[in-house]
Amino acid sequence: MTERIRLREVVIVEGKYDAAALAGLIDGLILTTGGFSIFRDDEKKALIQRLGKERGLLVLTDSDAAGFRIRHYIEKIARGCEIKNAYIPALPGKEPRKAAPAAEGTLGVEGLPPEVLAEALRRAGVAADETAPGEAVTHTDLFELGISGGPNSAEKRRALLQKLGLPPRLSKRALCQVLGSLYTRQALYALVKGEDNA
């Protein structure tokens, strides 16, 4: 297996199975739109805007009409951000987990072989980025920083998220991913511990 590409850009896909298909190719943050639910999810939109400004976006949706509708919506809400687009071919087929083919009869991101996805990323101009933070932020870090699992941790977490301009309802897993994509562990500790000492 080839080494995963470390990306600075945040990768936007439609669903969790798409994210799983890319996880073996990409070392970076992958966010899902939840399909069309992105149209009503103000927190997710704000998160995409914030991350787009900080790191840039790489949008990879299915090649059907629904995928292009979501892609255009992401481009609209992230206007002014650096956006790269990766496009997959419209190959006929059905994903094994689905009972029937998609409406247009083509495979989505989740159903494509890794080499096809890797080629789509290459054509989008994606290259390894050594400036991306190397150490993941863990649940242990959240605990040590006092923003999870301790006295007043919920209040501290909300205050930190508000200060950083992030949605208040991020899960712990998503919080680790987002903080890890924006900060090195050292910078995050300095930021939070510096506030405690102020």
Side-chain angles (χ1 to χ4, degrees), residues 3 7 17 23-24 27-28 37 44 51 55-56 66 73 79 82 93 106 130-132 143 192:
E3 188 174 337
L7 295 184
Y17 294 103
D27 179 6
S37 71
K44 182 70 66 73
L51 292 171
R55 305 189 68 81
Y73 188 73
R79 188 173 287 122
E82 182 184 342
T106 56
E130 296 306 317
T131 66
F143 177 78
V192 177

Side-chain angles (χ1 to χ4, degrees), residues 63-78:
S63 58
D64 58 8
F68 272 84
R69 186 174 169 203
I70 292 168
R71 180 186 298 273
H72 293 312
Y73 188 73
I74 297 296
E75 291 173 350
K76 178 181 172 185
I77 65 172

Side-chain angles (χ1 to χ4, degrees), residues 21-164:
L22 287 173
L25 296 173
I26 292 172
D27 179 6
L29 178 60
I30 303 172
L31 288 182
T32 63
T33 67
F36 289 140
S37 71
I38 186 64
F39 298 154
R40 335 177 270 287
D41 190 337
D42 292 336
E43 287 186 3
K44 182 70 66 73
K45 286 187 270 190
L47 181 59
I48 289 171
Q49 290 165 345
R50 167 69 191 277
L51 292 171
K53 288 175 185 171
E54 296 275 348
R55 305 189 68 81
L57 303 174
L58 173 70
V59 182
L60 177 57
T61 59
D62 294 351
S63 58
D64 58 8
F68 272 84
R69 186 174 169 203
I70 292 168
R71 180 186 298 273
H72 293 312
Y73 188 73
I74 297 296
E75 291 173 350
K76 178 181 172 185
I77 65 172
R79 188 173 287 122
C81 301
E82 182 184 342
I83 302 174
K84 293 180 180 176
N85 283 287
Y87 298 97
I88 59 171
L91 300 178
K94 177 186 80 68
E95 284 85 4
R97 72 175 182 87
K98 295 182 178 176
E104 295 182 22
T106 56
L107 291 170
V109 170
E110 69 170 277
L112 293 175
E115 58 271 17
V116 175
L117 295 174
E119 176 63 14
L121 295 173
R122 187 192 67 75
R123 287 195 315 263
V126 169
D129 185 355
E130 296 306 317
T131 66
E135 283 186 276
V137 174
T138 66
H139 290 180
T140 302
D141 292 321
L142 300 185
F143 177 78
E144 289 178 358
L145 290 168
I147 56 176
S148 178
N152 303 317
S153 59
E155 292 172 19
K156 292 177 183 176
R157 184 169 60 250
R158 276 193 296 273
L160 177 64
L161 291 175
Q162 183 175 13
K163 177 180 173 57
L164 299 180

